[in-house]
Amino acid sequence: MSTSQSGASQPSQDRATPDALLHIRPGTDVSAEDVVLASGKDLTPRNLEWAERKLAAEGPAALDKLLP
């Protein structure tokens, strides 16, 4: 018995994901938690304070700078 399904929807290996789908941020509501998580850090009070300072200085672009 095979676990693969023929005809199942799978991404094509010969096409790249469009940039518009990779870099989507709903609105401009970026939280300190978002910035901490995007940076790969743990959610600690110290890291949240860092993220709040970063957001105050850079605005929502702070998150964009952390993401690939």
Side-chain angles (χ1 to χ4, degrees):
M1 180 154 82
S2 173
T3 58
S4 65
Q5 298 174 345
S6 82
S9 177
Q10 296 180 0
S12 173
Q13 298 299 324
D14 61 341
R15 293 185 350 181
T17 302
D19 222 26
L21 294 177
L22 291 175
H23 303 283
I24 292 178
R25 177 171 36 95
T28 58
D29 295 334
V30 177
S31 70
E33 290 86 359
D34 295 332
V35 174
V36 171
L37 294 174
S39 71
K41 298 178 181 182
D42 292 329
L43 286 173
T44 65
R46 181 178 178 189
N47 290 340
L48 288 170
E49 289 173 10
W50 164 81
E52 288 170 359
R53 288 191 306 272
K54 189 166 181 66
L55 279 172
E58 301 174 19
L63 184 63
D64 294 333
K65 293 177 183 180
L66 292 169
L67 298 174

